[in-house]
């Protein structure tokens, strides 16, 4: 017997626009196009239904780390983000010893094969000591293509993205290697010039890791990487919209120059996301979270975020004043396309997985569905 659900009465955000008083039909875990008239429906009048969120840069949550946690702990972190609307998540690693990263990649690749995560992202160790942020400088190394290849191989086909300081020796060749293997080459934690950044884009880089953060500021004589990344149609820029990593004017600047089709909202979340203040570890680095802001105990650098994507969505609409359709592009459709999973997720279309989020009129999360099953069942009526 078919498992069938009908969600009715909401404002539904489709790739073609907003449908007032829309109906979303879910059958056997997928979005369907029709249903018998007698199928009971869930009345979501006064609510929004949007695609499930896709986070392509996330280090953990719920008190657990994707870099160092056990399999059960990683699953707990994934579930924490699902409770906040992220139905598709990539597990990101911070800088570590190469052998350690290889072992972690092998372990978590099994979760990717099972569909629990959407692949792996190596943020380091191939980054600039000048822009290391919350990464252990003693473990950083130049992006030797042979070593980059080792990590790709260790991930057993589940590597989705590698963040590189492409100006370092081997950087351009590593970008070419990643592109040849269908892995996103992301420019980040970089001290590159404008010209060096353009060369990396020409070599095949397609993503800017958390634009503005961990890179030289935009200058009028030395525009640096920010100008090159914003102006090039081949680049999608990651943005951490938590009110800490970016001033609202910087967010507006990015949307104005890149357009909604080239922005991907990410969390860059660490263990404390969805958990609370306290002492944590980010890889080998000690982190103090106070008032929801994560900083290294030594040096005070921002150490990831405690963001969840439902908060990023709410802030984008209510504070930044962005159109709902643009936010849906940035938080669902664009990252799904970059990850190569847009045939299954990222938009509400027939045949795709029934991954969706229910928001109330104030854009607060009220429900989450993944593959047709409620993770958070909306309390309505």
């Amino acid at each position: 017997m078919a498992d069938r659900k009908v969600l009715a009465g909401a404002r539904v955000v489709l790739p073609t626009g907003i449908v007032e008083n829309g109906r979303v039909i879910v059958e056997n875990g997928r979005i369907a196009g029709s249903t018998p008239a007698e199928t009971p429906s869930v009345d979501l009048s006064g609510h929004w239904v949007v695609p499930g969120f896709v986070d392509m840069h996330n280090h953990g949550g719920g008190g657990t780390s994707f870099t160092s946690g056990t399999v059960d702990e990683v699953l707990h972190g994934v579930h924490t983000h699902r409770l906040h609307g992220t139905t598709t998540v990539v597990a990101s690693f911070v800088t570590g010893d190469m052998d350690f990263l290889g072992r972690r990649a092998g372990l978590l690749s099994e979760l990717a094969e099972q569909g629990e995560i959407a692949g792996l992202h190596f943020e380091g160790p191939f980054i600039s000591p000048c822009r290391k942020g919350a990464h252990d400088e003693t473990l950083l190394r130049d992006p030797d293509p042979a070593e980059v290849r080792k990590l790709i191989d260790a991930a057993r086909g589940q590597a989705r993205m590698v963040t590189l300081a492409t100006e370092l020796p081997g950087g351009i060749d590593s970008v070419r290697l990643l592109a040849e293997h269908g892995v996103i080459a992301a420019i980040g934690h970089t001290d590159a010039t404008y010209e060096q950044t353009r060369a990396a884009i020409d070599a095949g880089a397609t993503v800017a890791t958390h634009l503005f953060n961990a890179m030289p500021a935009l200058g009028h004589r030395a525009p640096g990487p920010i100008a090159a990344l914003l102006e090039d149609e081949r680049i999608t820029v990651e943005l951490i919209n938590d009110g800490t990593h970016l001033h609202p004017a910087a967010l507006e600047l990015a949307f104005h120059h890149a357009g909604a089709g080239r922005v991907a909202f990410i969390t860059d979340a660490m263990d404390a996301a969805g958990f609370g203040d306290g002492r944590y570890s980010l890889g080998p680095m000690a982190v103090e979270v106070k008032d929801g802001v994560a900083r290294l105990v030594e040096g005070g650098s921002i150490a990831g975020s405690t963001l969840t994507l439902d908060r990023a969505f709410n802030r984008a609409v209510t504070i930044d004043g962005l159109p709902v359709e643009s936010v849906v592009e940035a938080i669902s459709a664009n990252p799904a396309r970059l990850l190569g999973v847009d045939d299954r997720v990222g938009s509400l279309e027939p045949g795709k997985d029934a991954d969706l989020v229910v928001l109330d009129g104030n854009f607060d999360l009220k429900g989450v569905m993944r593959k047709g099953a409620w993770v958070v069942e909306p309390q309505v009526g």
Side-chain angles (χ1 to χ4, degrees):
M1 185 175 179
D3 175 21
R4 190 177 291 121
K5 302 178 182 72
V6 178
L7 314 181
R11 303 174 90 183
V12 181
V13 182
L14 302 176
T16 53
I18 296 171
V19 177
E20 302 285 347
N21 193 26
R23 287 164 61 86
V24 177
I25 301 161
V26 176
E27 187 168 310
N28 296 329
R30 295 185 182 273
I31 296 170
S34 62
T35 188
E38 66 271 14
T39 301
S41 63
V42 179
D43 183 4
L44 294 179
S45 300
H47 291 71
W48 292 81
V49 175
V50 301
F53 308 146
V54 180
D55 193 354
M56 59 189 285
H57 185 160
N58 185 318
H59 296 279
T64 64
S65 166
F66 296 156
T67 301
S68 58
T70 65
V71 168
D72 286 344
E73 288 171 341
V74 170
L75 290 172
H76 173 72
V78 169
H79 182 69
T80 297
H81 284 281
R82 286 180 188 165
L83 294 173
H84 292 274
T86 299
T87 50
T88 302
V89 63
V90 169
S92 299
F93 300 145
V94 295
T95 292
D97 174 84
M98 285 289 292
D99 289 339
F100 172 78
L101 289 175
R103 291 193 300 272
R104 290 299 296 176
L107 180 68
L108 266 63
S109 65
E110 294 184 19
L111 295 182
E113 290 161 2
Q114 295 163 13
E116 297 292 345
I117 59 176
L120 309 176
H121 164 217
F122 298 95
E123 189 183 18
F126 311 114
I127 60 176
S128 171
C130 303
R131 305 287 173 178
K132 65 182 184 296
H135 293 253
D136 185 346
E137 185 171 351
T138 65
L139 296 173
L140 300 183
R141 55 212 300 140
D142 290 340
D144 180 342
E147 295 206 315
V148 174
R149 178 65 187 268
K150 285 181 184 178
L151 291 187
I152 297 174
D153 290 344
R156 302 196 318 227
Q158 301 301 327
R160 295 290 172 264
M161 183 162 64
V162 177
T163 295
L164 307 159
T166 53
E167 76 279 7
L168 295 177
I172 297 297
D173 286 339
S174 291
V175 168
R176 293 193 183 102
L177 171 76
L178 291 167
E180 288 169 2
H181 285 80
V183 179
I184 297 167
I187 300 171
H189 288 275
T190 176
D191 204 39
T193 63
Y194 173 85
E195 291 77 15
Q196 288 170 327
T197 305
R198 285 183 59 89
I201 297 169
D202 288 339
T206 55
V207 166
T209 292
H210 45 53
L211 186 75
F212 299 109
N213 296 112
M215 60 182 63
L218 185 65
H220 64 292
R221 292 193 181 92
I226 293 172
L229 294 165
L230 280 177
E231 73 184 11
D232 199 297
E233 295 292 325
R234 294 169 290 183
I235 290 290
T236 298
V237 297
E238 293 182 348
L239 299 177
I240 308 171
N241 192 24
D242 62 353
T244 298
H245 282 78
L246 295 177
H247 189 283
L251 183 94
E252 182 180 2
L253 179 72
F255 262 89
H256 177 75
H257 284 278
R262 290 179 46 222
V263 171
F265 279 140
I266 61 163
T267 60
D268 194 17
M270 46 78 71
D271 310 22
F275 200 67
D277 289 358
R279 282 283 185 109
Y280 297 88
S281 295
L282 187 62
M285 312 295 281
V287 176
E288 178 80 26
V289 178
K290 185 176 180 181
D291 298 326
V293 178
R295 293 185 180 276
L296 291 183
V297 172
E298 292 190 14
S301 292
I302 293 177
S305 84
T306 62
L307 186 64
T308 51
L309 282 181
D310 58 332
R311 286 170 42 211
F313 193 113
N314 184 297
R315 181 180 179 87
V317 177
T318 63
I319 296 177
D320 302 312
L322 294 171
V324 174
E325 305 97 308
S326 296
V327 179
V328 167
E329 277 193 80
I331 213 164
S332 300
N334 296 340
R337 170 178 48 78
L338 286 163
L339 295 170
V341 295
D342 53 332
D343 59 328
R344 295 185 283 109
V345 300
S347 60
L348 300 176
E349 297 178 90
K352 292 192 177 184
D353 291 348
D355 290 4
L356 56 86
V357 175
V358 179
L359 306 168
D360 67 13
N362 296 317
F363 298 97
D364 292 322
L365 184 142
K366 294 300 178 183
V368 181
M369 178 181 285
R370 185 174 186 269
K371 299 191 180 210
W374 289 113
V375 180
V376 178
E377 187 164 1
Q379 302 301 309
V380 295

